[in-house]
Amino acid sequence: MNLTEYENGLSDVFGAMLLIAVVGGAVALVGVAILSQPTPETVPSLNTDITLVNRTILITHNGGDTLQRTGMSILVDGVDRTNSFSLMNGGNWSGWAVGDTLMYQVPDSRSLPSSIEVIYTSGSSRDVVQSLRVPPATTPP
C-alpha cells in the first residue's frame, strides 16, 4: 500500500506525538516515585562539655540545637537517668539550650559512671546525639 505524501507526513507526526506521550508518562512516573519518598529525618546537633566534680556530673550545652526533655534520654552507663538530671541553676527543665548546665548527683551507693549518651527520641528511631566519656573526678579548690 502506497501512502500519499500527506498521509506519510501525518503518520510521522502521529508517531512523534505518541513517542513524546510515552516518554512524558515515564518521566512523570519516575518523578512521582522520587517525590513520594518521606523527607529524611533531621537529628539535632549538640556540643557539650562534661565535668565530674566529686560525685556530681555536670553537662554544659555549648552549642547546637535546643533539645526538649520529652524528646531525649540521657543514659548513664546504659541506664536512663534523664529524670535524675536537673538544671544547675535550679528548677525543673523542659528544654536544654545553649548555656544550660544539667547536673546529676551520683548516689553514694553507686560507682562513678564511665559513659553518658544523649539520645534523641523524638524521631522514628532512637539516635545517639552525643556519646561522652566521664572524666576523672576533680575536687574544687
Side-chain angles (χ1 to χ4, degrees):
M1 176 168 135
N2 290 334
L3 297 176
T4 66
E5 211 173 289
Y6 173 76
E7 291 170 330
N8 196 18
L10 194 58
S11 175
D12 288 345
V13 169
F14 180 71
M17 286 176 38
L18 183 61
L19 181 61
I20 289 171
V22 168
V23 170
V27 168
L29 285 175
V30 169
V32 166
I34 291 172
L35 295 176
S36 66
Q37 300 297 318
T39 56
E41 197 170 350
T42 302
V43 177
S45 65
L46 181 64
N47 181 3
T48 63
D49 281 334
I50 183 168
T51 309
L52 179 61
V53 179
N54 293 331
R55 296 188 65 80
T56 303
I57 296 172
L58 303 171
I59 308 174
T60 303
H61 190 310
N62 287 332
D65 299 313
T66 297
L67 296 174
Q68 298 304 313
R69 182 177 183 169
T70 57
M72 66 180 278
S73 295
I74 303 174
L75 306 181
V76 178
D77 283 343
V79 177
D80 189 347
R81 302 272 184 223
T82 309
N83 294 329
S84 299
F85 279 84
S86 61
L87 283 174
M88 189 167 164
N89 61 0
N92 292 328
W93 58 285
S94 59
W96 186 30
V98 175
D100 291 342
T101 299
L102 294 176
M103 62 183 231
Y104 167 63
Q105 180 66 42
V106 180
D108 290 334
S109 60
R110 294 193 185 119
S111 59
L112 292 174
S114 61
S115 69
I116 293 181
E117 289 182 315
V118 178
I119 310 289
Y120 177 66
T121 60
S122 284
S124 59
S125 63
R126 295 172 55 95
D127 295 298
V128 175
V129 177
Q130 193 155 44
S131 185
L132 308 163
R133 301 296 303 164
V134 178
T138 59
T139 307

Coordinates of all heavy atoms in Angstrom, one line a residue, residues 26-92:
A26 N 6.6 8.3 31.3 CA 7.6 7.6 32.1 C 8.3 8.6 33.0 O 8.6 8.3 34.2 CB 8.6 7.0 31.1
V27 N 8.6 9.8 32.6 CA 9.2 10.8 33.4 C 8.3 11.2 34.6 O 8.8 11.3 35.7 CB 9.6 12.1 32.6 CG1 10.0 13.2 33.5 CG2 10.7 11.7 31.6
A28 N 7.0 11.3 34.3 CA 6.1 11.6 35.4 C 6.0 10.5 36.4 O 6.0 10.8 37.6 CB 4.7 11.8 34.8
L29 N 6.1 9.2 36.0 CA 6.1 8.1 37.0 C 7.3 8.1 37.8 O 7.3 7.9 39.0 CB 5.9 6.8 36.2 CG 4.5 6.5 35.7 CD1 4.6 5.2 34.9 CD2 3.5 6.4 36.8
V30 N 8.5 8.4 37.2 CA 9.7 8.5 38.0 C 9.7 9.6 39.0 O 10.1 9.5 40.1 CB 10.9 8.6 37.0 CG1 12.2 8.9 37.8 CG2 11.1 7.3 36.2
G31 N 9.2 10.8 38.5 CA 9.0 11.9 39.4 C 8.1 11.7 40.6 O 8.5 12.0 41.7
V32 N 7.0 11.0 40.4 CA 6.1 10.7 41.5 C 6.8 9.7 42.4 O 6.7 9.9 43.7 CB 4.8 10.1 40.9 CG1 4.0 9.4 42.0 CG2 4.0 11.1 40.2
A33 N 7.5 8.7 41.9 CA 8.2 7.8 42.8 C 9.3 8.5 43.7 O 9.4 8.2 44.8 CB 8.9 6.7 42.0
I34 N 10.0 9.4 43.1 CA 11.0 10.1 43.8 C 10.4 11.1 44.8 O 10.9 11.1 46.0 CB 12.0 10.9 42.9 CG1 12.8 9.9 42.1 CG2 12.9 11.9 43.6 CD1 13.6 10.5 40.9
L35 N 9.4 11.8 44.4 CA 8.9 12.8 45.3 C 8.0 12.3 46.4 O 7.6 12.9 47.4 CB 8.1 13.9 44.5 CG 8.9 14.7 43.6 CD1 8.1 15.6 42.7 CD2 10.0 15.5 44.3
S36 N 7.5 11.0 46.3 CA 6.7 10.4 47.3 C 7.4 9.8 48.4 O 6.8 9.4 49.4 CB 5.8 9.3 46.6 OG 6.6 8.3 46.2
Q37 N 8.8 9.9 48.4 CA 9.6 9.4 49.5 C 9.5 10.4 50.6 O 9.5 11.6 50.4 CB 11.1 9.2 49.1 CG 11.3 8.2 47.9 CD 10.9 6.8 48.3 OE1 11.1 6.4 49.4 NE2 10.2 6.2 47.4
P38 N 9.5 9.9 51.9 CA 9.4 10.8 53.0 C 10.7 11.6 53.1 O 11.8 11.1 52.7 CB 9.3 9.9 54.2 CG 9.8 8.5 53.8 CD 9.5 8.5 52.3
T39 N 10.6 12.8 53.6 CA 11.8 13.6 53.8 C 12.7 13.0 54.9 O 12.2 12.4 55.9 CB 11.5 15.0 54.2 OG1 10.7 15.0 55.4 CG2 10.8 15.7 53.1
P40 N 14.0 13.0 54.7 CA 14.9 12.4 55.8 C 14.7 13.1 57.1 O 14.5 14.4 57.1 CB 16.3 12.6 55.2 CG 16.2 13.4 54.0 CD 14.7 13.6 53.6
E41 N 14.8 12.4 58.1 CA 14.7 12.9 59.5 C 16.0 13.7 59.9 O 17.1 13.3 59.6 CB 14.5 11.8 60.5 CG 14.0 12.2 61.8 CD 13.6 11.0 62.6 OE1 13.6 9.8 62.0 OE2 13.3 11.1 63.7
T42 N 15.8 14.8 60.5 CA 16.9 15.7 60.9 C 17.2 15.4 62.4 O 16.3 15.5 63.3 CB 16.6 17.2 60.7 OG1 16.3 17.4 59.4 CG2 17.8 18.0 61.2
V43 N 18.4 14.9 62.7 CA 18.8 14.7 64.1 C 19.5 15.9 64.6 O 20.3 16.5 63.9 CB 19.8 13.4 64.1 CG1 20.3 13.2 65.5 CG2 19.1 12.2 63.6
P44 N 19.1 16.4 65.8 CA 19.7 17.6 66.3 C 21.2 17.5 66.5 O 21.7 16.4 66.7 CB 19.0 17.9 67.6 CG 18.3 16.6 67.9 CD 18.2 15.8 66.7
S45 N 21.9 18.6 66.4 CA 23.3 18.6 66.7 C 23.5 19.1 68.1 O 22.7 19.8 68.7 CB 24.1 19.6 65.7 OG 23.7 20.9 65.9
L46 N 24.7 18.7 68.7 CA 24.9 19.1 70.1 C 26.4 19.1 70.3 O 27.2 18.3 69.8 CB 24.3 18.0 71.0 CG 24.4 18.2 72.5 CD1 23.7 19.4 73.0 CD2 23.9 17.0 73.2
N47 N 26.8 20.1 71.1 CA 28.2 20.3 71.5 C 28.2 20.5 73.0 O 27.6 21.5 73.5 CB 28.9 21.4 70.8 CG 30.4 21.6 71.1 OD1 30.9 20.8 71.9 ND2 31.0 22.6 70.6
T48 N 28.9 19.6 73.8 CA 28.8 19.7 75.2 C 30.2 19.6 75.8 O 31.2 19.2 75.2 CB 28.0 18.6 75.8 OG1 28.6 17.4 75.5 CG2 26.6 18.7 75.3
D49 N 30.3 20.0 77.1 CA 31.4 19.8 77.9 C 30.9 19.0 79.1 O 29.8 19.2 79.6 CB 32.0 21.0 78.5 CG 32.9 21.7 77.5 OD1 33.5 21.0 76.6 OD2 33.1 23.0 77.6
I50 N 31.7 18.0 79.6 CA 31.3 17.2 80.7 C 32.4 17.3 81.8 O 33.5 17.2 81.5 CB 31.0 15.7 80.3 CG1 30.5 14.9 81.5 CG2 32.2 15.1 79.7 CD1 29.9 13.6 81.2
T51 N 31.9 17.4 83.0 CA 32.8 17.5 84.2 C 32.3 16.7 85.3 O 31.1 16.6 85.5 CB 32.9 19.0 84.6 OG1 33.2 19.8 83.5 CG2 34.0 19.2 85.7
L52 N 33.1 16.1 86.0 CA 32.7 15.3 87.2 C 33.4 16.0 88.4 O 34.6 16.0 88.5 CB 33.2 13.8 87.1 CG 32.9 12.9 88.3 CD1 31.3 12.8 88.5 CD2 33.4 11.5 88.0
V53 N 32.6 16.6 89.3 CA 33.1 17.2 90.5 C 32.6 16.4 91.7 O 31.4 16.4 91.9 CB 32.7 18.7 90.5 CG1 33.2 19.4 91.8 CG2 33.1 19.5 89.3
N54 N 33.6 15.9 92.4 CA 33.2 14.9 93.5 C 32.3 13.8 92.9 O 32.8 13.1 92.1 CB 32.6 15.7 94.7 CG 33.6 16.6 95.4 OD1 34.8 16.3 95.3 ND2 33.1 17.7 95.9
R55 N 31.1 13.8 93.2 CA 30.1 12.8 92.7 C 29.0 13.5 91.9 O 28.0 12.9 91.7 CB 29.6 12.0 93.9 CG 30.7 11.2 94.6 CD 30.1 10.2 95.6 NE 29.3 9.2 95.0 CZ 29.8 8.1 94.4 NH1 31.1 7.9 94.3 NH2 28.9 7.2 94.0
T56 N 29.3 14.7 91.4 CA 28.3 15.4 90.6 C 28.8 15.5 89.2 O 29.8 16.0 88.9 CB 28.0 16.8 91.2 OG1 27.6 16.7 92.5 CG2 27.0 17.5 90.4
I57 N 27.9 15.0 88.2 CA 28.2 15.1 86.8 C 27.6 16.4 86.3 O 26.4 16.6 86.5 CB 27.6 13.9 86.0 CG1 28.3 12.6 86.5 CG2 27.8 14.1 84.5 CD1 27.7 11.3 85.9
L58 N 28.4 17.2 85.6 CA 27.9 18.4 85.0 C 28.0 18.3 83.5 O 29.1 18.1 83.0 CB 28.7 19.6 85.5 CG 28.7 19.8 87.0 CD1 29.7 20.9 87.4 CD2 27.3 20.2 87.5
I59 N 26.9 18.5 82.8 CA 27.0 18.5 81.3 C 26.5 19.9 80.8 O 25.4 20.3 81.0 CB 26.1 17.4 80.7 CG1 26.4 16.1 81.3 CG2 26.3 17.4 79.2 CD1 25.4 15.0 80.8
T60 N 27.4 20.7 80.2 CA 27.1 22.0 79.7 C 26.8 22.0 78.2 O 27.6 21.5 77.5 CB 28.3 23.0 80.1 OG1 28.5 22.9 81.5 CG2 27.9 24.4 79.6
H61 N 25.7 22.6 77.8 CA 25.3 22.7 76.4 C 26.1 23.9 75.8 O 25.8 25.0 76.2 CB 23.8 22.9 76.4 CG 23.2 22.8 75.0 ND1 23.7 23.4 73.9 CD2 22.1 22.0 74.6 CE1 22.9 23.1 72.9 NE2 22.0 22.3 73.2
N62 N 27.1 23.6 75.0 CA 27.9 24.7 74.4 C 27.5 25.1 73.0 O 28.0 26.1 72.5 CB 29.4 24.3 74.4 CG 30.0 24.3 75.8 OD1 29.5 25.0 76.7 ND2 30.9 23.4 76.0
G63 N 26.6 24.4 72.4 CA 26.3 24.7 71.0 C 25.4 23.7 70.4 O 25.4 22.5 70.8
G64 N 24.7 24.1 69.4 CA 23.8 23.2 68.6 C 22.4 23.5 68.9 O 22.0 24.6 69.2
D65 N 21.5 22.5 68.8 CA 20.1 22.7 68.9 C 19.6 22.5 70.3 O 20.2 21.8 71.1 CB 19.4 21.6 68.0 CG 19.7 21.7 66.5 OD1 19.7 22.9 66.0 OD2 20.1 20.7 65.9
T66 N 18.5 23.2 70.6 CA 17.8 23.0 71.9 C 17.1 21.6 71.9 O 16.4 21.3 70.9 CB 16.8 24.1 72.1 OG1 17.5 25.4 72.2 CG2 16.0 23.9 73.4
L67 N 17.3 20.8 72.9 CA 16.7 19.5 73.0 C 15.6 19.6 74.0 O 15.8 20.1 75.1 CB 17.7 18.5 73.4 CG 18.8 18.2 72.4 CD1 19.8 17.2 73.0 CD2 18.3 17.6 71.1
Q68 N 14.4 19.1 73.6 CA 13.3 19.1 74.6 C 13.4 17.8 75.4 O 13.7 16.7 75.0 CB 11.9 19.0 73.8 CG 11.7 20.3 72.9 CD 11.8 21.6 73.7 OE1 11.2 21.7 74.8 NE2 12.5 22.5 73.2
R69 N 13.1 18.0 76.7 CA 13.3 16.9 77.6 C 12.4 15.7 77.2 O 12.8 14.5 77.4 CB 12.9 17.3 79.0 CG 13.0 16.3 80.1 CD 12.7 16.8 81.4 NE 12.9 15.8 82.4 CZ 12.9 16.0 83.7 NH1 12.7 17.2 84.2 NH2 13.1 15.0 84.6
T70 N 11.2 16.0 76.7 CA 10.3 14.9 76.3 C 10.8 14.2 75.0 O 10.3 13.1 74.7 CB 8.9 15.4 76.0 OG1 9.0 16.5 75.1 CG2 8.3 15.9 77.3
G71 N 11.8 14.7 74.3 CA 12.3 14.1 73.1 C 13.7 13.6 73.2 O 14.4 13.4 72.2
M72 N 14.2 13.4 74.4 CA 15.5 12.9 74.6 C 15.7 12.0 75.8 O 14.8 12.0 76.7 CB 16.5 14.1 74.8 CG 16.3 14.9 76.1 SD 17.4 16.3 76.3 CE 18.8 15.5 76.9
S73 N 16.7 11.3 75.9 CA 17.1 10.5 77.0 C 18.5 10.7 77.3 O 19.3 10.8 76.4 CB 16.8 9.0 76.8 OG 15.5 8.7 76.6
I74 N 18.9 10.6 78.6 CA 20.3 10.7 79.0 C 20.6 9.4 79.7 O 20.0 9.1 80.7 CB 20.6 11.9 79.9 CG1 20.2 13.2 79.3 CG2 22.1 11.9 80.3 CD1 20.3 14.4 80.2
L75 N 21.5 8.6 79.0 CA 21.8 7.3 79.6 C 23.2 7.4 80.3 O 24.1 7.9 79.8 CB 22.0 6.2 78.5 CG 20.8 6.1 77.6 CD1 21.0 5.0 76.5 CD2 19.5 5.8 78.3
V76 N 23.2 6.9 81.6 CA 24.4 6.9 82.4 C 24.8 5.4 82.5 O 24.1 4.7 83.1 CB 24.2 7.5 83.7 CG1 25.5 7.5 84.6 CG2 23.7 9.0 83.6
D77 N 25.9 5.1 81.9 CA 26.3 3.7 81.8 C 25.2 2.8 81.3 O 25.0 1.7 81.8 CB 26.9 3.2 83.1 CG 28.3 3.7 83.4 OD1 29.0 4.1 82.4 OD2 28.7 3.6 84.5
G78 N 24.5 3.3 80.3 CA 23.4 2.5 79.6 C 22.1 2.5 80.3 O 21.1 1.9 79.8
V79 N 21.9 3.2 81.5 CA 20.7 3.3 82.2 C 20.1 4.7 82.0 O 20.8 5.7 82.2 CB 20.9 2.9 83.7 CG1 19.6 3.0 84.5 CG2 21.5 1.5 83.9
D80 N 18.8 4.7 81.7 CA 18.1 6.0 81.5 C 18.0 6.8 82.9 O 17.3 6.3 83.8 CB 16.8 5.8 80.9 CG 16.1 7.2 80.5 OD1 16.6 8.2 80.9 OD2 15.1 7.1 79.8
R81 N 18.7 7.9 83.0 CA 18.7 8.7 84.2 C 18.2 10.1 83.9 O 18.5 11.0 84.6 CB 20.1 8.8 84.8 CG 20.7 7.4 85.1 CD 20.4 7.0 86.5 NE 21.1 5.8 86.8 CZ 20.5 4.8 87.4 NH1 19.2 4.8 87.8 NH2 21.2 3.7 87.7
T82 N 17.5 10.3 82.8 CA 17.0 11.6 82.4 C 16.3 12.3 83.5 O 16.6 13.5 83.8 CB 16.0 11.5 81.2 OG1 16.7 10.7 80.2 CG2 15.7 12.9 80.6
N83 N 15.4 11.6 84.2 CA 14.7 12.3 85.3 C 15.5 12.6 86.5 O 15.0 13.3 87.4 CB 13.5 11.4 85.7 CG 12.5 11.3 84.6 OD1 12.3 12.2 83.8 ND2 11.8 10.2 84.4
S84 N 16.7 12.1 86.6 CA 17.6 12.4 87.7 C 18.5 13.6 87.5 O 19.1 14.1 88.4 CB 18.6 11.2 88.0 OG 17.8 10.0 88.3
F85 N 18.4 14.2 86.3 CA 19.2 15.4 86.0 C 18.3 16.6 86.3 O 17.1 16.6 86.1 CB 19.6 15.4 84.5 CG 20.8 14.6 84.2 CD1 20.7 13.2 83.9 CD2 22.1 15.2 84.1 CE1 21.9 12.5 83.7 CE2 23.2 14.4 83.9 CZ 23.1 13.1 83.6
S86 N 19.0 17.7 86.7 CA 18.3 18.9 86.9 C 19.2 20.0 86.4 O 20.3 19.9 86.1 CB 18.0 19.1 88.4 OG 19.2 19.2 89.1
L87 N 18.6 21.2 86.2 CA 19.3 22.4 85.8 C 20.2 22.8 86.9 O 19.8 22.8 88.1 CB 18.4 23.5 85.3 CG 17.8 23.4 83.9 CD1 16.8 24.5 83.7 CD2 18.9 23.4 82.9
M88 N 21.4 23.2 86.6 CA 22.4 23.7 87.7 C 21.8 24.9 88.4 O 22.0 25.0 89.6 CB 23.7 23.9 87.1 CG 24.8 24.2 88.1 SD 26.4 24.1 87.3 CE 27.3 24.9 88.6
N89 N 21.1 25.8 87.7 CA 20.6 27.0 88.3 C 19.3 26.7 89.1 O 18.6 27.6 89.5 CB 20.4 28.1 87.3 CG 19.5 27.8 86.2 OD1 18.9 26.7 86.2 ND2 19.3 28.7 85.3
G90 N 18.9 25.4 89.2 CA 17.7 25.0 89.9 C 16.5 24.9 89.1 O 16.4 25.4 87.9
G91 N 15.5 24.2 89.6 CA 14.3 24.1 88.9 C 14.2 22.9 88.0 O 15.2 22.3 87.6
N92 N 13.0 22.6 87.5 CA 12.7 21.6 86.5 C 13.1 22.1 85.2 O 13.1 23.3 84.9 CB 11.3 21.2 86.6 CG 10.9 20.4 87.8 OD1 11.8 19.7 88.4 ND2 9.7 20.6 88.3

